[in-house]
Amino acid sequence: MILENDGVEGSLRALFDAAIAAVDPAVCVPPYLEGVSLPAGRTIAVGAGKASAAMAKAMEDHWPGPVSGLVVTRYGHSCACRDIEIIEAAHPVPDTASLDAGMRILALAKDLGPDDLLVGLFSGGASSLMALPAPGLSLEDKKAVHRALLASGAPITEINKVRRHLSAIKGGRLAAAAAPARVLSLMISDVPGDDPAVISSGPTVADPTTFADARAVLAKYRIRAPDAVEAHLAAATIETLKPGDAALAATESIVVGTPQMALEAAVAEARRRGLEPVNLGDRIEGEAREVARTMAAMALARPRRHPPEVLISGGETTVTVTGQGRGGRNTEFLLALALALDGAPGIWAIACDSDGIDGSEDNAGAMIGPDTLARARALGLDAKDHLANNDAYGVFEKLGDLVFTGPTRTNVNDFRAILIQP
């Protein structure tokens, strides 16, 4: 069995690496460029997200005609392109570079004519990286709302309802600016359900939600937004584009990379290594520590068997931040999982963000094993106290159990694997 040769930790890391490789833009973008008819005019590529620079390179390498444009990615996630300009901005809270990117991308779209083609390259992270506030709102207004939403524990579907209604470029508005040009959007999904309207807050996609929906999200999480934001949402004067809008008649959106693709690759790698994979799906949401308790109960209830089982899952958990510590949702999940397992023998786990960055830290995630809590106690660390302070990073850093990949230049959200040995 390969597990015995490579070690448990090596096998878990191999599952994660296989998942990432399956959604590399160099792999998943080119097939969807084949057969696209070249325009009589220009091809302009624009995009935003943690995978967008790699998507732009994949397009340059495989597009049969000339292409230029502008793509914005997170600081440190760029790669070299010949003709498509790559710039960097802040994530998860936008900065002035995000604002500049939004203005420049919108200007490129407005300059197009009926013979031109706009290719959108979008992935998770675009809502922060391409930030163009609606008229009457400032960048500081948007930053305040972003921070509050990220700390609230709201799922991404609800967060992006608000973002679309505070933007001059999301919710189909970029496509409307490009009309009557043809618009083709290629997307790598980081959201449960792979809804194009949610991915990157849907710059080129119709939005079925309303200002009332956005107000309801803020009310649900008791978020007091800046006065200008409250006034903008109450006025509800310029809605996002809705399904059937004529401005979107020449648009097409294709999801080229999904969380499920990543999980299926991990399943195949698990079988290659002599493990018995159980795919729990790519739509798992909820508070990270609550999801951890549920999965711990599931792991403890599984019959121990040969070959060893590995529970594989994706989705996006959330963290309601009440403490002052460091860590993202994957390390928070793992620390809660270790506490719930309480040293149960034969159970190991990995949890990582597929973009290589867990929250706003420098790690992708971490690993745990049966000895995690005992090793923490030996170092004088109280895991419960650290979890209460949202400081999972502090525990795994001192244990040496953080997982570092650097930017992967893709993004299909969380990856989790729990390995159960006899």
Side-chain angles (χ1 to χ4, degrees), residues 71-82:
V71 159
V72 56
T73 191
R74 180 178 175 155
Y75 291 117
H77 290 241
S78 63
C79 58
C81 286
R82 298 183 304 274

Side-chain angles (χ1 to χ4, degrees), residues 126-191:
S127 298
S128 169
L129 297 167
M130 185 178 66
L132 188 57
L137 301 180
S138 69
L139 179 61
E140 291 305 315
D141 291 330
K142 290 208 70 171
K143 288 169 69 172
V145 176
H146 270 243
R147 290 191 185 100
L149 286 167
L150 291 171
S152 70
I156 191 64
T157 52
E158 293 186 323
I159 289 174
N160 283 358
K161 285 179 186 178
V162 179
R163 286 168 162 169
R164 290 194 293 271
H165 287 89
L166 301 181
S167 175
I169 197 169
K170 313 288 175 48
R173 292 188 174 100
L174 178 61
R182 184 160 55 104
V183 177
L184 170 65
S185 293
L186 305 181
M187 302 177 170
I188 293 181
S189 172
D190 68 328
V191 300

Side-chain angles (χ1 to χ4, degrees), residues 200-288:
S200 304
S201 295
T204 59
V205 180
D207 172 28
T209 69
T210 66
F211 275 98
D213 294 321
R215 293 194 300 269
V217 171
L218 296 185
K220 177 179 178 179
Y221 295 96
R222 299 180 180 179
I223 294 173
R224 177 67 174 91
D227 290 342
V229 171
E230 297 280 356
H232 174 77
L233 293 178
T237 53
I238 308 175
E239 256 293 2
T240 51
L241 278 78
K242 303 305 175 196
D245 194 302
L248 301 177
T251 65
E252 180 183 8
S253 298
I254 304 172
V255 180
V256 302
T258 67
Q260 186 60 27
M261 290 167 58
L263 296 188
E264 288 171 359
V267 165
E269 178 65 15
R271 291 200 175 105
R272 193 186 73 81
R273 290 178 166 265
L275 302 170
E276 183 60 38
V278 179
N279 188 345
L280 301 178
D282 64 343
R283 299 192 181 193
I284 293 175
E285 297 182 273
E287 192 74 19

